[in-house]
Amino acid sequence: MPEVLKVVLEVAVAVISRLAVVLSGFSLFFFCLDSNSAVLPEDRADALYHYYDGGGVTIQGPSILVRKSIKDKVSVSANYYVDNVSSASIDVVTTASAYTEQRIEKSVGADYLHDKTIMSFNYTASDENDFSARSAHFNVSQDFFGDLTTLTLGYSQGWDEVGKRDEDDFKYDADRRNFRLGVTQVITKNSILALSWETVTDQGQYLNNPYRAIRYLDPSVGSGYSYQDEVYPDTRTSDAIAIRGMYYLPYRAAVKLEAKRFADTWGINANTFSVEYVHPYKDEWIFDGKLRFYQQDRADFYSDLFERIDEQNFRARDKEMSTFSSVTLGFGASYEKELKDWRYLNKYIVNLSLDHIQFDFDDFRDLRVSATPGTEPLYSYNANVIRLFVSVFY
Amino acid sequence: MKPKFIIRSIVGAAIVLLSGCSSIEPWVKPYERQNLADPIMAFSRAPVSDNYLHHVYQAREGARGAEGSAGGGCGCN
């Protein structure tokens, strides 16, 4: 306990004493370019297999990333990612029929080191049979104050096309813009803090999932309710601000804390908290355990059961728009080995991560159970996520 | 009058700012950063793997942003 107290006090004193310096120095960013620590990402190749199983949905597939630098000035990367989806989710079994589909995402990127700045460009194309997305991303980051501070600015633009299976004429565009700002600050020789903010704006005629429907009371049918199409607003703007901290413990291990606050113009407010513990074993092994809590309030126009047809101009019954919470428990293990006698390879890492997520809904009911409308049991489900990947560095 | 005032303000601010540069000393020296450089202190040790988990959350939760990039598409209905 005294050790823990010492750690907390050390961080608190350091944060308070440095905050004044950081704040007073914030306006000096563009005058004090006195560092030259910016480095490009390492040359590496990653092969990831991902598996998700939860709520009647199974998604699995590979992701391959290759990254190579050119003359220590530019690092180029390419990523190929596949989702093989097999879905019999509660939405599908209550209003449609089970389906399978494939999503393929390809992206290329370049990181450019100029003087003391890193500029990153990325272009991503994602395609599935009823949805396509194109997005361009730009980030610039700069180290300051003897490498103790890193400022990152970012902008992304996305162009989505929403379609519908078996309806060739159903095509709607949606545009997306993201603005990002991040500051990472070394607090002490054992702690580091990161603040990040991102605002996202969407504009499009179909910002909702075209397969989802709301239900309303209808005494004329046996079940007591009927379905009607969802209608969402044409625009959405959201803000998320996150603070993350990492602390190096008195023995060789680290703790990571994260808190995030989210709010959007649809009335959704959400909070995320997570804590992660990282523990190495010998030189080769790193183990980590994570606990994450998420909670959100429903969108203003969400209801599990509307009183009548056309009750509101905007209406949603998408469970992701409802009031719910989720808890994640995750474990990971990685094994890293230097390759001393290899001519072209430096080292490799094998990593396995397992996450278990429990979702509990407060106002989304399970319609697989027949009951008086509005009295069905509340829905909940759990999901397992497996990530297995191998990285080689060259 | 106005341009003079603006120029003086800029020059004055520049002097203050530039003099501030020399007074800011890194309080964690480069030779004190071995703990920070340890791989266990990286915010993201596996970017591809972390991006995948962000995508899992983004498809199933209303919140988005401030967590690194995630791909398009959904695959979640």
Side-chain angles (χ1 to χ4, degrees):
Chain A
M1 195 62 190
E3 277 297 316
V4 174
L5 201 62
K6 192 179 159 195
V7 165
V8 172
L9 281 174
E10 190 183 337
V11 171
V13 170
V15 168
I16 292 164
S17 63
R18 303 303 181 208
L19 204 57
V21 179
V22 172
L23 290 175
S24 66
F26 199 82
S27 60
L28 308 181
F29 276 143
F30 297 97
F31 296 89
C32 304
L33 309 180
D34 60 348
S35 69
N36 194 12
S37 71
V39 289
L40 290 169
E42 288 179 276
D43 290 355
R44 64 191 287 175
D46 293 84
L48 166 76
Y49 171 76
H50 57 86
Y51 177 85
Y52 171 93
D53 184 16
V57 180
T58 304
I59 305 170
Q60 50 86 26
S63 177
I64 309 289
L65 173 79
V66 179
R67 177 178 280 284
K68 182 83 182 87
S69 58
I70 304 163
K71 293 186 176 176
D72 295 330
K73 275 286 172 193
V74 178
S75 172
V76 293
S77 63
N79 186 208
Y80 181 82
Y81 174 100
V82 179
D83 271 338
N84 293 305
V85 182
S86 171
S87 179
S89 68
I90 184 166
D91 308 292
V92 167
V93 297
T94 52
T95 61
S97 52
Y99 67 91
T100 59
E101 68 176 8
Q102 187 178 62
R103 180 172 81 87
I104 295 177
E105 182 183 303
K106 299 166 192 165
S107 67
V108 290
D111 297 87
Y112 176 55
L113 178 65
H114 175 70
D115 202 10
K116 299 136 186 165
T117 309
I118 293 179
M119 285 176 276
S120 306
F121 306 88
N122 185 278
Y123 181 78
T124 301
S126 169
D127 288 291
E128 51 200 291
N129 60 2
D130 54 1
F131 189 90
S132 72
R134 303 285 179 272
S135 58
H137 311 264
F138 172 68
N139 278 307
V140 58
S141 70
Q142 170 81 48
D143 290 343
F144 299 93
F145 306 136
D147 311 343
L148 297 186
T149 307
T150 304
L151 176 72
T152 306
L153 295 166
Y155 174 74
S156 299
Q157 178 127 17
W159 304 268
D160 297 350
E161 187 180 85
V162 184
K164 212 169 177 180
R165 285 188 294 275
D166 306 323
E167 288 189 37
D168 291 341
D169 295 336
F170 188 99
K171 284 194 190 304
Y172 291 94
D173 291 331
D175 289 349
R176 182 168 295 122
R177 291 179 176 84
N178 302 44
F179 300 90
R180 293 176 294 276
L181 173 66
V183 179
T184 304
Q185 180 66 50
V186 170
I187 306 293
T188 69
K189 61 182 181 180
N190 289 319
S191 57
I192 188 163
L193 204 62
L195 271 171
S196 58
W197 166 76
E198 184 166 2
T199 186
V200 187
T201 62
D202 294 320
Q203 188 160 24
Q205 278 181 289
Y206 241 92
L207 298 182
N208 49 310
N209 183 323
Y211 302 105
R212 303 269 170 97
I214 63 110
R215 65 171 183 150
Y216 61 92
L217 283 171
D218 184 358
S220 67
V221 295
S223 63
Y225 61 84
S226 294
Y227 289 104
Q228 182 185 19
D229 285 347
E230 285 190 320
V231 182
Y232 282 24
D234 289 349
T235 59
R236 180 189 189 193
T237 300
S238 67
D239 286 291
I241 185 160
I243 183 165
R244 297 177 177 88
M246 290 208 72
Y247 190 83
Y248 193 97
L249 294 169
Y251 55 96
R252 191 181 169 226
V255 172
K256 178 181 173 186
L257 295 170
E258 176 179 334
K260 193 168 84 170
R261 173 92 185 139
F262 171 90
D264 72 6
T265 51
W266 290 357
I268 297 174
N269 288 288
N271 291 301
T272 310
F273 299 101
S274 75
V275 56
E276 184 176 346
Y277 176 72
V278 186
H279 192 102
Y281 175 70
K282 295 186 175 172
D283 288 336
E284 293 90 3
W285 292 92
I286 297 177
F287 297 96
D288 61 78
K290 183 182 73 177
L291 194 57
R292 176 186 185 270
F293 299 94
Y294 174 84
Q295 193 279 327
Q296 74 169 51
D297 296 331
R298 67 176 178 83
D300 295 334
F301 49 91
Y302 172 89
S303 177
D304 178 65
L305 180 63
F306 287 86
E307 292 294 321
R308 60 180 186 279
I309 191 170
D310 295 329
E311 185 187 343
Q312 297 176 189
N313 290 338
F314 299 126
R315 45 189 186 263
R317 194 184 166 269
D318 189 327
K319 63 182 182 301
E320 283 79 40
M321 296 287 115
S322 71
T323 300
F324 71 92
S325 59
S326 76
V327 180
T328 304
L329 185 62
F331 294 100
S334 70
Y335 178 81
E336 178 178 328
K337 187 78 177 168
E338 300 261 343
L339 295 170
K340 287 174 184 165
D341 301 327
W342 291 58
R343 190 169 172 186
Y344 297 109
L345 300 180
N346 300 329
K347 65 176 178 183
Y348 71 88
I349 299 175
V350 181
N351 188 305
L352 175 68
S353 294
L354 307 171
D355 293 272
H356 181 78
I357 315 172
Q358 173 70 37
F359 294 89
D360 290 303
F361 295 84
D362 292 348
D363 53 7
F364 180 83
R365 295 187 179 276
D366 188 347
L367 304 191
R368 294 171 302 182
V369 179
S370 294
T372 305
T375 65
E376 300 92 345
L378 292 169
Y379 183 60
S380 67
Y381 72 100
N382 57 65
N384 291 307
V385 183
I386 300 171
R387 291 169 286 159
L388 173 66
F389 73 88
V390 179
S391 307
V392 290
F393 296 76
Y394 40 85
Chain B
M1 195 67 184
K2 257 189 175 178
K4 272 188 179 176
F5 175 74
I6 292 168
I7 290 167
R8 282 176 185 170
S9 299
I10 292 170
V11 170
I15 291 168
V16 171
L17 293 174
L18 290 170
S19 63
C21 290
S22 58
S23 65
I24 293 180
E25 285 289 322
W27 54 85
V28 180
K29 307 292 181 198
Y31 55 83
E32 293 178 316
R33 297 178 196 172
Q34 71 271 23
N35 289 352
L36 298 173
D38 193 311
I40 64 170
M41 284 291 282
F43 277 109
S44 175
R45 294 199 311 278
V48 176
S49 182
D50 288 349
N51 277 351
Y52 172 73
L53 201 60
H54 293 156
H55 177 64
V56 166
Y57 288 128
Q58 198 179 64
R60 284 157 195 87
E61 297 175 345
R64 58 186 184 175
E67 60 193 357
S69 62
C74 184
C76 51
N77 39 313

